[in-house]
Amino acid sequence: MEDRRNAWKAFSRVGIGYGAFLLVTLVIQLEIGAIALALSRFGIEITFGNWYMVIVSLANYVVGGIVAYIIVRDMPVLCRPEAKKAGAGMLVSGFLICMSALFFGNLIGQALMTIVSALLGKPMINPVEEVMKGLNTWAIFVTMVIMAPVCEEILFRKVLIDRIRLYGDKAAILVSSVVFALSHGNFYQFFYAFGIGLVFAYIYIKTGRLRYTIIFHMVINFLGSIVALQIGENPLLTAGYSIFMLGAVIAGTILFFISQKKLVLYPGLMENWGRGFFKTLFLNLGMILFFLVSAVTFVISEIS
């Protein structure tokens, strides 16, 4: 009972820390919007374009990340993943499974928002696509291919998993993936971010090296942003890209089912997986607050 109470407190702190991260990012965006509106009344117009996106993204990750870290930093780091070299099989399989998760997660997100659009009688806008439309290639590369993978892997894998792995690999993988997915702030990205988050968390736990997940994250974002935008007007490149993605998805799906029998997940020093685990992990004050802030970000992403 004492172990479960300690776990409840730990995951509540996680919720508070990452809820604060989301709250800080919202405040930053609202404050910058308010400043831009005030300046416009004096004839000074702020262009919401390339530099704006780079600066705001950096501020979100740095300020929000520091706030989250300050809140969770005192949590004991007793089961940090042991650093070891990943085998080629794990890396290839992991990447292909990520491609599969990206495809099916995106399919689910698109289908859900199509249903929502039909029910509400108005089109739903994919915030990521809208953002990329107004950015140059260099701005997309800096924010989505460099900045996001590095900052997010540090925040959602290194900082978080190191502090909750003592409650078991299952809890660490599940909670880090849910927090990672919800922090994207929209349903278009939620499902594939959750699936990819599961793979990234497993790879980090098994290797203890963040470089692998950072590289994977960079490649996936590069394919989904820079490459996807550049091939749009070239039928030959589009066909090649489609064939590559289809092959990767098929191979990843097959490997996903094969790998289920090979997964090795260790219990932590204070594992609480079993009856009542969901309540311990997610139905605590901090995580409930995190879910509420996440809901606000989801709503804002659709109405802004």
Side-chain angles (χ1 to χ4, degrees):
M1 181 63 72
E2 185 64 26
D3 285 349
R4 180 150 293 187
R5 186 178 296 111
N6 290 333
W8 191 92
K9 292 178 180 178
F11 288 105
S12 183
R13 182 183 284 202
V14 167
I16 293 172
Y18 286 84
F21 167 77
L22 291 182
L23 195 58
V24 167
T25 62
L26 284 175
V27 170
I28 288 174
Q29 294 174 58
L30 290 173
E31 285 186 348
I32 292 177
I35 292 172
L37 180 61
L39 291 176
S40 67
R41 295 178 179 177
F42 295 96
I44 304 174
E45 296 294 335
I46 294 181
T47 302
F48 294 89
N50 298 304
W51 283 106
Y52 169 84
M53 182 55 61
V54 171
I55 293 171
V56 170
S57 297
L58 182 60
N60 285 341
Y61 286 125
V62 173
V63 181
I66 289 175
V67 170
Y69 177 73
I70 289 174
I71 293 173
V72 303
R73 66 178 176 178
D74 291 335
M75 295 175 66
V77 181
L78 302 177
C79 295
R80 180 183 285 113
E82 180 184 354
K84 61 182 72 173
K85 186 176 180 180
M90 172 186 282
L91 295 179
V92 172
S93 297
F95 178 75
L96 292 173
I97 292 172
C98 281
M99 290 293 98
S100 180
L102 178 67
F103 175 79
F104 288 110
N106 185 59
L107 206 62
I108 295 171
Q110 293 285 352
L112 175 63
M113 298 313 294
T114 298
I115 294 172
V116 172
S117 177
L119 292 174
L120 297 179
K122 64 177 183 178
M124 295 289 103
I125 298 174
N126 187 329
V128 179
E129 291 181 356
E130 288 301 305
V131 168
M132 288 198 296
K133 285 180 182 178
L135 298 179
N136 290 334
T137 301
W138 73 265
I140 295 174
F141 184 82
V142 170
T143 56
M144 297 185 180
V145 182
I146 302 298
M147 192 187 305
V150 172
C151 295
E152 289 176 4
E153 291 309 306
I154 292 173
L155 188 61
F156 296 106
R157 245 63 67 183
K158 177 66 178 175
V159 172
L160 181 52
I161 290 177
D162 283 4
R163 285 162 176 76
I164 60 176
R165 196 185 174 218
L166 77 158
Y167 300 101
D169 286 352
K170 293 179 182 179
I173 291 171
L174 179 60
V175 171
S176 63
S177 300
V178 169
V179 172
F180 174 63
L182 286 174
S183 295
H184 281 73
N186 63 84
F187 278 117
Y188 286 100
Q189 293 179 285
F190 171 80
F191 296 100
Y192 69 72
F194 175 72
I196 290 172
L198 293 174
V199 181
F200 285 179
Y202 182 79
I203 291 174
Y204 175 65
I205 282 175
K206 289 303 170 184
T207 66
R209 293 181 175 177
L210 209 60
R211 71 186 72 166
Y212 297 126
T213 60
I214 289 176
I215 293 172
F216 274 18
H217 203 151
M218 286 180 171
V219 172
I220 289 170
N221 282 13
F222 179 74
L223 291 173
S225 58
I226 303 295
V227 174
L229 289 174
Q230 295 300 319
I231 67 172
E233 299 178 0
N234 189 313
L236 186 61
L237 289 178
T238 300
Y241 180 75
S242 299
I243 293 172
F244 166 75
M245 290 298 294
L246 180 61
V249 169
I250 292 173
T253 303
I254 295 171
L255 287 169
F256 171 76
F257 288 105
I258 293 175
S259 65
Q260 298 303 300
K261 300 178 181 179
K262 301 179 181 180
L263 294 179
V264 179
L265 300 173
Y266 293 102
L269 299 176
M270 299 173 63
E271 179 165 274
N272 281 280
W273 196 267
R275 185 176 181 181
F277 80 94
F278 185 85
K279 180 179 179 180
T280 302
L281 300 185
F282 299 113
L283 297 184
N284 51 68
L285 179 60
M287 290 303 290
I288 290 173
L289 290 173
F290 171 74
F291 294 144
L292 291 175
V293 178
S294 299
V296 172
T297 65
F298 274 61
V299 172
I300 291 177
S301 71
E302 291 302 327
I303 64 176
S304 59

